[in-house]
Amino acid sequence: MCGRFAMDEKTDVAIRSLVGGKGISVMKGWEPQYNVSPTDAVPVVRDRDSEREVAMVRWGMVAPGAKEFAGKPVFNARIETVNKLGLFKAPF
């Protein structure tokens, strides 16, 4: 898996309808993209205090004990070892 995805105009419409305007200001400068990589910040809808909001985030796993992303983001796991190795063991 290459770890890339697309967020088009339909995604933008869906985000705006889900949050009803709350937090949309964080999306300033964001444009729909057709080649989103793990290092790109993208808008996501999340639930905070029982209310939906939109936030700009990078995606991937952060190592236990790390305060922020450092180096290459980790986002893929092998099914053969997901329960035995690395970052994915505990969450799995």
Side-chain angles (χ1 to χ4, degrees):
M1 184 174 165
C2 70
R4 295 184 181 258
F5 63 95
M7 295 183 79
D8 61 12
E9 290 84 5
K10 291 179 184 177
T11 305
D12 189 56
V13 170
I15 288 170
R16 291 173 187 279
S17 68
L18 284 170
V19 297
K22 185 175 173 81
I24 293 295
S25 62
V26 301
M27 291 176 60
K28 285 182 182 174
W30 182 80
E31 295 285 329
Q33 301 174 47
Y34 297 93
N35 189 19
V36 180
S37 72
T39 58
D40 295 337
V42 294
V44 297
V45 176
R46 62 185 180 190
D47 187 43
R48 291 282 184 184
D49 301 321
S50 299
E51 289 190 33
R52 289 182 185 148
E53 70 176 14
V54 64
M56 297 298 289
V57 300
R58 287 178 50 193
W59 54 279
M61 297 276 291
V62 177
K67 293 183 171 104
E68 60 186 38
F69 275 120
K72 295 184 348 183
V74 177
F75 52 88
N76 284 339
R78 291 184 179 181
I79 192 66
E80 299 86 5
T81 58
V82 71
N83 64 335
K84 299 174 187 137
L85 300 175
L87 292 175
F88 298 99
K89 182 179 178 178
F92 180 78

